[in-house]
Amino acid sequence: MTIEDLSARQRAFAAARAWERWHTPKNLVMALSGEVGELTEIFQWLTPDQAEAAYADPDLRARIDDELADVLLYLVRLADVLGADLLAAANAKIDRNEHRFPKPAPLTD
């Protein structure tokens, strides 16, 4: 499935429920922020080692997967409503970061 396929599926899901009037950029950003908060909550009080191992725990894995999916779905829906091309935006950002943060010179002894 491509991002375009996922976007079309989300669009159809929203249309079938007549949710378009609530899927404004402001509302979608707020919902996205809430879902990021729910993902944050899972990791909030874990040590770095516990956070690294969290996905190996079947119960935590299911919660993490749900919150990751929610974040992705709201992000994809927001991009669709705005008419943004997520892959183009992400690649452009990586290009800018490559110039902003050049590879360091190899370490020598």
Side-chain angles (χ1 to χ4, degrees):
M1 177 177 275
T2 66
I3 288 180
E4 291 81 13
D5 294 336
L6 184 59
S7 184
R9 186 167 182 204
Q10 280 288 93
R11 192 179 318 117
F13 181 89
R17 289 152 182 81
W19 287 355
E20 296 98 331
R21 63 183 166 202
W22 293 293
H23 282 195
T24 64
K26 178 194 77 75
N27 288 351
L28 291 167
V29 167
M30 290 174 60
L32 175 60
S33 178
E35 295 303 336
V36 169
E38 290 180 20
L39 182 60
T40 301
E41 180 184 16
I42 295 169
F43 290 92
Q44 183 174 4
W45 301 114
L46 300 181
T47 66
D49 289 339
Q50 290 170 326
E52 290 274 337
Y55 203 66
D57 178 306
D59 293 330
L60 283 179
R61 177 185 292 238
R63 289 180 56 208
I64 292 166
D65 281 347
D66 277 350
E67 298 311 331
L68 287 171
D70 286 341
V71 168
L72 177 63
L73 292 171
Y74 275 117
L75 181 63
V76 167
R77 183 71 178 133
L78 175 61
D80 184 47
V81 167
L82 292 173
D85 181 335
L86 280 175
L87 290 179
N91 277 304
K93 181 66 174 186
I94 292 170
D95 289 344
R96 287 191 303 277
N97 284 344
E98 286 176 339
H99 292 288
R100 189 172 170 206
F101 306 105
K103 287 191 253 182
L107 296 177
T108 58
D109 290 329

